[in-house]
Amino acid sequence: MKKALITGVAGQDGSYLADLLLSKGYEVHGIVKRESVEDANHRLGNLSHSIDRIHLHPVSVNNHLSLYKLFRDIQPDECYHLAASSFVHYNFDDEFLILNNNFNSTHYLLSTIKELKPSCRLFFAGSSEMFGEPDESPQTELTRFNPKSIYGISKIASYYMIRNYRDKEGLFACTGIMYNHESPRRGHQFVTRKITSTVAKIARGEASTLSLGNLDALRDWGWAPDYVEAMWRMLQTETPDDFIVSTGKLHSVRDFVDIAFRLAGLDYAKYVATDPRFFRPSEHIPLCGNPSKIAATLSWRNSRSLEEIIGSMLQADGIEV
Ligand code: GDP
């Protein structure tokens, strides 16, 4: 039986990945924050159906020694590093926290794997934020990085560390450059879940307005369960490599809103208001990933249309579609 260790197992991706690996017969270990265990009902909701089958470890990914000891005890065959701090709007203190946490945790994992079990394969969740304001759209694995957030910078630093351990130490370590991917398990701070949960409230008469920022902002939105399948496939190949994981299709926030209201039998124009608080500065060239490499190499593709994704999210928020 293969053993896997997932950091950030309680998040959208971690929980879907745990489901996938359990279905394949893996012994699944997950790292969660200590607060999550103490406040399990609230913070481990994504794992409520699987919690009895996952070994949960309340360990900080930013404590090298405890990570090392945990790894030594488990001896995983595969490790998926999904945990990260990801605030888009941050204050100055957060800047140090995001960079240090996100970079150090990757570095600690790499050095631990090298030291204790170099045969363990490592997947690292990169982000389209690594391209920030890209020179070209769609982006490929060869597009120049141009990060515009500390989060993007932290992901690039980890990406180079992964490459370095792969090239110099021979580790099987790779980065998936993940574009936005959504599901009923998406957090409410993201625009997609904010939209579907508010549409559901409006349909039930519990809310009357949906306040949003830039309706013309464009995103490449995929179906989250497919994206964790991509992570797993990246670790099953012969040669470790980095891949963009995306749909290659762009939609605007307005498209998303329009479809969500329509599926709920409502006209969005009556309910949507714009609020300057939710606008982001400069989003000129859209983040859209070209998935040709992963399609050709791993036969992977995003399987659900945006309308199908929105339908699933609305259903989870209590609307029959
Ligand atoms: P991100 O790609 O990680 O930033 O994912 P989000 O879901 O937070 O944002 C996706 C896009 O929606 C961005 O281009 C935002 O500018 C845009 N957007 C428009 N209105 C809102 C809003 O009210 N909340 C959020 N979070 N994003 C919004």
Side-chain angles (χ1 to χ4, degrees), residues 58-240:
V59 161
S60 168
V61 286
N62 291 298
N63 183 328
H64 196 179
L65 187 60
S66 39
L67 200 60
Y68 184 94
K69 286 181 176 164
L70 179 69
F71 195 96
R72 185 192 58 200
D73 294 344
I74 299 172
Q75 297 282 330
D77 303 291
E78 293 174 9
C79 180
Y80 296 85
H81 183 31
L82 314 182
S85 310
S86 68
F87 313 104
V88 177
H89 298 294
Y90 57 87
N91 63 37
F92 193 62
D93 290 341
D94 291 335
E95 190 167 298
F96 294 93
L97 193 92
I98 293 171
L99 187 61
N100 293 342
N101 284 0
N102 290 0
F103 178 68
N104 288 344
S105 56
T106 311
H107 194 187
Y108 294 158
L109 273 172
L110 283 163
S111 72
T112 300
I113 291 173
K114 179 192 160 204
E115 200 64 37
L116 293 176
K117 190 173 179 183
S119 63
C120 175
R121 296 184 168 199
L122 175 65
F123 170 86
F124 167 64
S127 162
S128 55
E129 289 294 317
M130 290 157 67
F131 295 116
E133 264 177 35
D135 300 333
E136 57 181 3
S137 191
Q139 295 83 49
T140 72
E141 289 78 3
L142 301 176
T143 301
R144 185 177 74 93
F145 294 137
N146 189 24
K148 292 291 162 189
S149 66
I150 200 74
Y151 175 75
I153 293 170
S154 77
K155 291 283 177 182
I156 292 172
S158 287
Y159 163 88
Y160 280 117
M161 207 63 175
I162 295 267
R163 279 184 67 157
N164 223 47
Y165 270 77
R166 180 165 79 214
D167 297 342
K168 296 238 172 70
E169 309 291 346
L171 293 195
F172 193 114
C174 35
T175 299
I177 302 177
M178 313 301 284
Y179 282 66
N180 295 45
H181 42 288
E182 316 300 312
S183 76
R185 299 187 197 169
R186 192 58 148 152
H188 286 262
Q189 71 274 33
F190 293 92
V191 76
T192 55
R193 196 67 195 283
K194 174 176 167 179
I195 294 168
T196 61
S197 62
T198 309
V199 168
K201 281 189 192 143
I202 291 173
R204 286 194 293 267
E206 295 163 12
S208 53
T209 317
L210 169 59
S211 296
L212 293 167
N214 184 6
L215 295 177
D216 297 317
L218 297 165
R219 279 290 183 273
D220 177 333
W221 279 299
W223 175 234
D226 291 336
Y227 286 54
V228 304
E229 168 79 26
M231 298 175 186
W232 178 77
R233 286 196 194 180
M234 283 176 66
L235 295 196
Q236 313 311 312
T237 54
E238 273 179 24
T239 320

